[in-house]
Every structure is written in structure tokens, then in C-alpha cells.
Amino acid sequence: MRLSNLLIGLMLAGMGAITAHAQSGLDAQQLAQLNSPQLALQQLQGANLSDDELRLKWQLLAQMDDAEAILQAASTLPKNAPPDVARLCNQAAAHAALQQGNGVLSRSYLAALLADRTLDTTVYQQARAAVVRSYLLPPLGNEVASVMLRYQQDFGKDKALLQSYALAMLQAGRADELKWARSQLDDTDAVAELIDISAGQFTDDQSKLRLQAAILAAKDAARLTLLRKLVSAYNAPDLLAQIDERLLNLPEAQITADKIWEEYRSLTQTLGNVRLLLFGSDAGWADLAKESETTNPMMARAVWAYLARSAKDANLRQTAQQQLLTQLHAAKLDRTALRLFASAWPNLPASVFNADTRYQLGAVAWAENQPAVAVNLWRDLPAPPQAVAVADWQVQRARLFARQGLWPLVADAVYAWIPLADTAVESVRWQMLNVALQMPQDSSALLIKLLPVLNPAQQRVAMQRLGAISSNDKEAATWLLNAAENAHDEAAWQARLDAAARLKKAGLLLDAKQQYQAVLAGSDAAAQRALATDALADF
């Protein structure tokens, strides 16, 4: 029997087995082993899963950061699920409920978990800590202190948990209940300082200095919200603005950009009253912003923000925009910058900004997964800032345009990069080759132009693609044989197989036969030798 007929028969015979695999969950297991948990979970959506299928489902869910999916699956867990599956479910669902801020639901799963007498000590302690954390979610109940104390009696001091407890109590306005917790924290501890500030242990100036340091270190909404509450007790609008900048910088913004623009203007007005400057005295404001950049960066940002929107001179407006963006970047507030600019200049029209601002904003937009915004800013940008090498700039543009499927712009960027490729490192050459390989239309001219600046391994990849996309069989075979030249790995033998097929189509039967014979004699891959043997039967 010819091999091709045998393969067809095997495929038809195997269709029943494939169906059985899908029903038994074996396909899901294979997908999981191939690092495709989402595809695997789609195979495990039925209501009548076996114990092994349920076990695999919860092993996969526990690896994923999808609280909604976990809680949905937990709500439908069969009552007769195996104990180890129920344990996985309770652990994952308790954590998911905590993520969603639902302490009551989290405790219901934790109670079921803690009822399992076979828990090892580590899992048991983690579950008890989760119980404490569930009580730290607002609104705090009267039992939170006793829950925390009971945990400490059983397991000793857990500094991180103790800090979380203290922060939650401070946020709830219950600082007077923290004496015992404060006694267990060092004087240099950041949370201990916040407790002391709340208790009035420092002068106003000392408190502000400590709050300033805490603001710079804060990373999450809960800590920043607490700091805002503490700062509000002082006359410190600059500290409030810094907190709000960081609240806007969070992935889920906790404040509006318009609020911060208002704060910038208010700070500028206060500074102007001290310096006897009126709105409209643009040159004086610009000098003041420059003077303040090192001594008071927050005030400098506020002044540049005012000038960025209100300066009468267009050049000064663009300079102020650039300075504001640069300073926000230095403060690690890129997301804040993008949101502020998008609020002040809707849709971020490229014509409003100078080249440096367009480049920086585009880079931030791309990093924030807003490629369409980045394209708008970079599409016709004539050159990058001086600090960015032109070759790197063209790579960035090519990859961005490829992301958006703007293939003519991709080609332009690649062509512009080729004369500069001598300075490119190996990884950048692979990036540009990968971009060229993604092009859906005939990219032969571009790949041929790229060949001289690629290394031998990259050239092989490019030539294989040239052979695959060429409509001329002789030309295709030539590219494929070029790719196989002086190589004896599996990819080279595959290129020879492909070349043989194109040679046969071109009517060059002797060349085709010899290529099949070479594969049969040289390849270590059984499948390639089988295909060559099958093809030679036609000669």
C-alpha cells in the first residue's frame, strides 16, 4: 500500500479515538502538558467530569489569576468531589474571594478547608493567616483584634500580617487600639512610623518628612489611601498632589486626571502668591520651574503643567509639555503622564507636541498596551530624540507597526534600518527578521534585501521563507537548496524535501529524485525518510 493511502486510513481510523480522548479528558491533559491551560480548561467544562478530570481542572485553575472563573467553578463543585480536589478548590476559592474583597465568602471556603484534619502544618497556617486577612477587609468588625491576637498566640509574630493589621486599623480610624501591635514593631519600621504619626508623636515638620518618605515607597491603593488620610491632617497640598499622582499611576486609577490638573494649578497659584508672580507672566514662571526642579520637584511639575496648557507661546507650551513628561518619567509615573496628557489633549494629536514628547508618549502608550495611540504619535515622526539610536528607533517602529498590521509602514521601517544594521546586536537582527516573516503579502523583495545583514542561521530561515512564498518552482527550489547548503540537521533535510517537491513540479525530475535520495540516505528523522521513500516510488 502506498504510504499516503496508509496515512489517510490511519487518520480515518483514529477519529473515533480522538473523540474518546476528548470525552475522557486526555486531550485536556495533553494541552496542559503543552503549557496551554486555557485550551485545556475549555475541554473540561462539562457537568459530569470524572475524578481525574476534576483534579486536572482544579490544578489548572489554581495556576491562573482569574478570580471570577475560580469562584464560578467552586460554586458548581460536586458534593462528592475527591478530598484532594475539594482541598484545591477551597484554597483557590478562598484566595479568589479575598482578591474580590469578599471576606465573608472567603471565610466560608476557609472554614471548609480548615475542617480537613489531613492538612499539613504549612497549609494550615496559611489558611489561618488568610482568615485574619479576610477580617482586615473593610468594614472592620469588632472581632478583628481578637482574631489577630489568636493567630499570634498560635503561631508567633508574623511581621507582614501584623503590618497589614495595623494599616487596616489606621485606615478604619482605630489607631487607639494599636498599642500592643506598635510594641511589637521596631521604631524604624515604616508602619510603626505611621502609627506614631497618627498618635501625634512627632512635630508637624517631622511628620511631613516621614510622610514624604512613605509616599515615595507606597505601591498600592490601600497604603496610598491611608497616607492621604494622614496627610489631610496637615497643611500639605504638595504631599496630597504626590499621593494623587501615584493613585492615578495604579493600573486601576483611583482618582481622575482632572483632579490632578486642578491640584497643579492650585499649587502654582500658591507659589505665585509667595513669589509675586501673576498668571500670564510666562517667562517668569518658566524660570521658577527651572529653579525648582532640584529643590522642589513637585512644585516644578505643577508649574510646568500650568505652562503646558496655558502658556501663550507655542514653543514654550511644547517645552513645558516635554519637561512635565520627563519629570513624571523620572518619578516613575509614566501611566500618570499618559492619563494626564490624554485628559488635557484628547486623542493626543501629534501636531500639539514636539518630537521628543511624541517619542516619549508613544513609548509609554506602547508599554501600556495602547498601540493605536503609539502609532498615531510615531507614524510620521521624522527622527527619534538624540539619546535614541536611529537603528533602535526603526526597530521599535517596525515592531509597533507590525503589531497593528500596518505592513507598508513595517516595510518602510525595515528598509530604513538595513543601512544601519552593522551596529545591531544579534537579538535585534532576529527581531527584524521576525517582523519581516510576519508580513502576510509577498515579502520577497524585503527578505532578499535583508539577507546580507543577517548571520548564516538567520539567512537559512529567510531563504526557507523565500522558497515557501515563491510562485516560481525553480526559484523556490533554489532558495530551499540554499537554505540546506552545508547543513545536515532536520531543518536542512526538510528544506531538501520541499525543494524536491518544487523541482518535481517544475519538471526537473532527475534533480528531484536525487534530492529525495539524499534525504533517504542522510536524514535521521524516520518521518522524513518515509516521505522520501514514498515519493521515490513515483520515479
Side-chain angles (χ1 to χ4, degrees), residues 430 433-434 437 447 451 454-468 480 483 491:
W430 279 113
L433 174 58
N434 187 46
L437 294 175
L447 286 169
L451 282 174
L454 302 177
N455 68 26
Q458 294 162 344
Q459 288 175 340
R460 284 184 66 192
V461 173
M463 288 188 289
Q464 283 179 302
R465 177 58 182 271
L466 284 164
L480 291 164

mmCIF file of all heavy atoms in Angstrom, residues 430 433-434 437 447 451 454-468 480 483 491:
data_model
loop_
_atom_site.group_PDB
_atom_site.id
_atom_site.type_symbol
_atom_site.label_atom_id
_atom_site.label_comp_id
_atom_site.label_asym_id
_atom_site.label_seq_id
_atom_site.Cartn_x
_atom_site.Cartn_y
_atom_site.Cartn_z
ATOM 1 N N TRP A 430 17.393 39.326 14.848
ATOM 2 C CA TRP A 430 16.302 38.355 14.900
ATOM 3 C C TRP A 430 14.951 39.062 14.966
ATOM 4 O O TRP A 430 13.972 38.615 14.339
ATOM 5 C CB TRP A 430 16.461 37.448 16.128
ATOM 6 C CG TRP A 430 17.436 36.318 15.937
ATOM 7 C CD1 TRP A 430 18.631 36.133 16.557
ATOM 8 C CD2 TRP A 430 17.287 35.201 15.048
ATOM 9 N NE1 TRP A 430 19.244 34.987 16.123
ATOM 10 C CE2 TRP A 430 18.423 34.377 15.196
ATOM 11 C CE3 TRP A 430 16.300 34.808 14.150
ATOM 12 C CZ2 TRP A 430 18.612 33.197 14.475
ATOM 13 C CZ3 TRP A 430 16.469 33.630 13.432
ATOM 14 C CH2 TRP A 430 17.625 32.842 13.590
ATOM 15 N N LEU A 433 14.115 40.269 11.478
ATOM 16 C CA LEU A 433 13.765 39.134 10.623
ATOM 17 C C LEU A 433 12.372 38.624 10.979
ATOM 18 O O LEU A 433 11.556 38.332 10.095
ATOM 19 C CB LEU A 433 14.798 38.018 10.785
ATOM 20 C CG LEU A 433 14.488 36.708 10.047
ATOM 21 C CD1 LEU A 433 14.327 36.948 8.550
ATOM 22 C CD2 LEU A 433 15.576 35.667 10.321
ATOM 23 N N ASN A 434 12.076 38.522 12.260
ATOM 24 C CA ASN A 434 10.761 38.049 12.692
ATOM 25 C C ASN A 434 9.652 38.968 12.185
ATOM 26 O O ASN A 434 8.587 38.508 11.765
ATOM 27 C CB ASN A 434 10.725 37.964 14.215
ATOM 28 C CG ASN A 434 9.448 37.312 14.718
ATOM 29 O OD1 ASN A 434 9.018 36.295 14.213
ATOM 30 N ND2 ASN A 434 8.825 37.930 15.706
ATOM 31 N N LEU A 437 9.116 38.225 8.565
ATOM 32 C CA LEU A 437 8.448 36.935 8.365
ATOM 33 C C LEU A 437 6.951 37.012 8.647
ATOM 34 O O LEU A 437 6.182 36.182 8.167
ATOM 35 C CB LEU A 437 9.088 35.879 9.262
ATOM 36 C CG LEU A 437 10.541 35.502 8.953
ATOM 37 C CD1 LEU A 437 11.077 34.547 10.005
ATOM 38 C CD2 LEU A 437 10.662 34.889 7.561
ATOM 39 N N LEU A 447 12.895 40.468 2.113
ATOM 40 C CA LEU A 447 13.760 39.418 2.649
ATOM 41 C C LEU A 447 15.084 39.355 1.895
ATOM 42 O O LEU A 447 16.153 39.156 2.499
ATOM 43 C CB LEU A 447 13.048 38.072 2.578
ATOM 44 C CG LEU A 447 11.923 37.862 3.595
ATOM 45 C CD1 LEU A 447 11.115 36.622 3.252
ATOM 46 C CD2 LEU A 447 12.490 37.733 5.001
ATOM 47 N N LEU A 451 18.941 39.817 3.519
ATOM 48 C CA LEU A 451 19.890 38.704 3.578
ATOM 49 C C LEU A 451 21.328 39.106 3.896
ATOM 50 O O LEU A 451 21.968 38.486 4.754
ATOM 51 C CB LEU A 451 19.852 37.906 2.268
ATOM 52 C CG LEU A 451 18.674 36.944 2.103
ATOM 53 C CD1 LEU A 451 18.667 36.338 0.709
ATOM 54 C CD2 LEU A 451 18.745 35.837 3.148
ATOM 55 N N LEU A 454 22.170 39.582 7.672
ATOM 56 C CA LEU A 454 21.822 38.513 8.605
ATOM 57 C C LEU A 454 22.985 37.540 8.765
ATOM 58 O O LEU A 454 23.830 37.410 7.875
ATOM 59 C CB LEU A 454 20.593 37.755 8.098
ATOM 60 C CG LEU A 454 19.314 38.578 7.877
ATOM 61 C CD1 LEU A 454 18.214 37.687 7.306
ATOM 62 C CD2 LEU A 454 18.860 39.229 9.179
ATOM 63 N N ASN A 455 23.009 36.845 9.906
ATOM 64 C CA ASN A 455 24.034 35.812 10.087
ATOM 65 C C ASN A 455 23.576 34.535 9.385
ATOM 66 O O ASN A 455 22.430 34.441 8.920
ATOM 67 C CB ASN A 455 24.324 35.591 11.577
ATOM 68 C CG ASN A 455 23.154 34.955 12.318
ATOM 69 O OD1 ASN A 455 22.328 34.244 11.746
ATOM 70 N ND2 ASN A 455 23.070 35.207 13.624
ATOM 71 N N PRO A 456 24.449 33.511 9.259
ATOM 72 C CA PRO A 456 24.080 32.309 8.498
ATOM 73 C C PRO A 456 22.802 31.631 8.971
ATOM 74 O O PRO A 456 21.983 31.197 8.159
ATOM 75 C CB PRO A 456 25.307 31.399 8.679
ATOM 76 C CG PRO A 456 26.451 32.361 8.854
ATOM 77 C CD PRO A 456 25.879 33.502 9.632
ATOM 78 N N ALA A 457 22.619 31.535 10.292
ATOM 79 C CA ALA A 457 21.406 30.886 10.798
ATOM 80 C C ALA A 457 20.168 31.678 10.405
ATOM 81 O O ALA A 457 19.132 31.104 10.032
ATOM 82 C CB ALA A 457 21.483 30.741 12.322
ATOM 83 N N GLN A 458 20.252 32.996 10.475
ATOM 84 C CA GLN A 458 19.123 33.845 10.097
ATOM 85 C C GLN A 458 18.876 33.781 8.594
ATOM 86 O O GLN A 458 17.721 33.781 8.149
ATOM 87 C CB GLN A 458 19.404 35.277 10.547
ATOM 88 C CG GLN A 458 19.462 35.432 12.065
ATOM 89 C CD GLN A 458 20.150 36.707 12.506
ATOM 90 O OE1 GLN A 458 20.844 37.361 11.727
ATOM 91 N NE2 GLN A 458 19.999 37.061 13.778
ATOM 92 N N GLN A 459 19.962 33.703 7.824
ATOM 93 C CA GLN A 459 19.806 33.603 6.375
ATOM 94 C C GLN A 459 19.062 32.326 5.987
ATOM 95 O O GLN A 459 18.228 32.329 5.073
ATOM 96 C CB GLN A 459 21.181 33.643 5.705
ATOM 97 C CG GLN A 459 21.826 35.017 5.738
ATOM 98 C CD GLN A 459 23.235 35.013 5.187
ATOM 99 O OE1 GLN A 459 23.884 33.963 5.110
ATOM 100 N NE2 GLN A 459 23.726 36.176 4.795
ATOM 101 N N ARG A 460 19.359 31.232 6.688
ATOM 102 C CA ARG A 460 18.661 29.976 6.401
ATOM 103 C C ARG A 460 17.156 30.133 6.591
ATOM 104 O O ARG A 460 16.355 29.699 5.760
ATOM 105 C CB ARG A 460 19.171 28.862 7.320
ATOM 106 C CG ARG A 460 20.525 28.289 6.946
ATOM 107 C CD ARG A 460 20.869 27.145 7.873
ATOM 108 N NE ARG A 460 19.972 26.025 7.704
ATOM 109 C CZ ARG A 460 19.903 24.989 8.544
ATOM 110 N NH1 ARG A 460 20.656 24.967 9.626
ATOM 111 N NH2 ARG A 460 19.065 24.000 8.320
ATOM 112 N N VAL A 461 16.771 30.782 7.705
ATOM 113 C CA VAL A 461 15.349 30.994 7.977
ATOM 114 C C VAL A 461 14.720 31.835 6.874
ATOM 115 O O VAL A 461 13.631 31.533 6.370
ATOM 116 C CB VAL A 461 15.159 31.663 9.349
ATOM 117 C CG1 VAL A 461 13.696 32.042 9.574
ATOM 118 C CG2 VAL A 461 15.650 30.753 10.460
ATOM 119 N N ALA A 462 15.418 32.904 6.480
ATOM 120 C CA ALA A 462 14.888 33.793 5.439
ATOM 121 C C ALA A 462 14.763 33.068 4.104
ATOM 122 O O ALA A 462 13.759 33.225 3.385
ATOM 123 C CB ALA A 462 15.796 35.016 5.300
ATOM 124 N N MET A 463 15.771 32.258 3.772
ATOM 125 C CA MET A 463 15.727 31.554 2.486
ATOM 126 C C MET A 463 14.643 30.488 2.468
ATOM 127 O O MET A 463 14.013 30.249 1.425
ATOM 128 C CB MET A 463 17.099 30.970 2.169
ATOM 129 C CG MET A 463 18.119 32.059 1.789
ATOM 130 S SD MET A 463 19.720 31.469 1.189
ATOM 131 C CE MET A 463 20.434 30.816 2.689
ATOM 132 N N GLN A 464 14.408 29.835 3.601
ATOM 133 C CA GLN A 464 13.299 28.871 3.654
ATOM 134 C C GLN A 464 11.961 29.565 3.404
ATOM 135 O O GLN A 464 11.094 29.030 2.714
ATOM 136 C CB GLN A 464 13.297 28.158 5.006
ATOM 137 C CG GLN A 464 14.366 27.081 5.115
ATOM 138 C CD GLN A 464 14.369 26.391 6.461
ATOM 139 O OE1 GLN A 464 14.518 27.046 7.487
ATOM 140 N NE2 GLN A 464 14.203 25.084 6.465
ATOM 141 N N ARG A 465 11.818 30.776 3.979
ATOM 142 C CA ARG A 465 10.581 31.521 3.746
ATOM 143 C C ARG A 465 10.483 31.950 2.286
ATOM 144 O O ARG A 465 9.413 31.886 1.675
ATOM 145 C CB ARG A 465 10.531 32.741 4.664
ATOM 146 C CG ARG A 465 9.307 33.628 4.464
ATOM 147 C CD ARG A 465 8.008 32.829 4.687
ATOM 148 N NE ARG A 465 6.828 33.635 4.459
ATOM 149 C CZ ARG A 465 6.223 34.366 5.396
ATOM 150 N NH1 ARG A 465 6.710 34.372 6.616
ATOM 151 N NH2 ARG A 465 5.151 35.058 5.103
ATOM 152 N N LEU A 466 11.602 32.377 1.696
ATOM 153 C CA LEU A 466 11.599 32.771 0.283
ATOM 154 C C LEU A 466 11.184 31.598 -0.599
ATOM 155 O O LEU A 466 10.429 31.763 -1.562
ATOM 156 C CB LEU A 466 12.981 33.286 -0.120
ATOM 157 C CG LEU A 466 13.324 34.699 0.355
ATOM 158 C CD1 LEU A 466 14.821 34.961 0.254
ATOM 159 C CD2 LEU A 466 12.550 35.737 -0.463
ATOM 160 N N GLY A 467 11.671 30.408 -0.243
ATOM 161 C CA GLY A 467 11.277 29.234 -1.007
ATOM 162 C C GLY A 467 9.806 28.913 -0.848
ATOM 163 O O GLY A 467 9.138 28.502 -1.800
ATOM 164 N N ALA A 468 9.288 29.137 0.343
ATOM 165 C CA ALA A 468 7.879 28.814 0.599
ATOM 166 C C ALA A 468 6.928 29.755 -0.119
ATOM 167 O O ALA A 468 5.842 29.348 -0.550
ATOM 168 C CB ALA A 468 7.617 28.840 2.098
ATOM 169 N N LEU A 480 15.395 27.045 -1.417
ATOM 170 C CA LEU A 480 15.361 25.965 -0.428
ATOM 171 C C LEU A 480 16.679 25.206 -0.380
ATOM 172 O O LEU A 480 17.161 24.823 0.695
ATOM 173 C CB LEU A 480 14.200 25.020 -0.730
ATOM 174 C CG LEU A 480 12.802 25.628 -0.499
ATOM 175 C CD1 LEU A 480 11.719 24.789 -1.168
ATOM 176 C CD2 LEU A 480 12.529 25.745 1.002
ATOM 177 N N ALA A 483 19.109 27.183 1.510
ATOM 178 C CA ALA A 483 18.892 27.052 2.951
ATOM 179 C C ALA A 483 19.493 25.760 3.483
ATOM 180 O O ALA A 483 19.934 25.693 4.636
ATOM 181 C CB ALA A 483 17.400 27.106 3.262
ATOM 182 N N ALA A 491 16.119 20.506 9.913
ATOM 183 C CA ALA A 491 15.577 21.612 9.105
ATOM 184 C C ALA A 491 16.155 21.596 7.699
ATOM 185 O O ALA A 491 15.453 21.882 6.714
ATOM 186 C CB ALA A 491 15.877 22.938 9.790
#
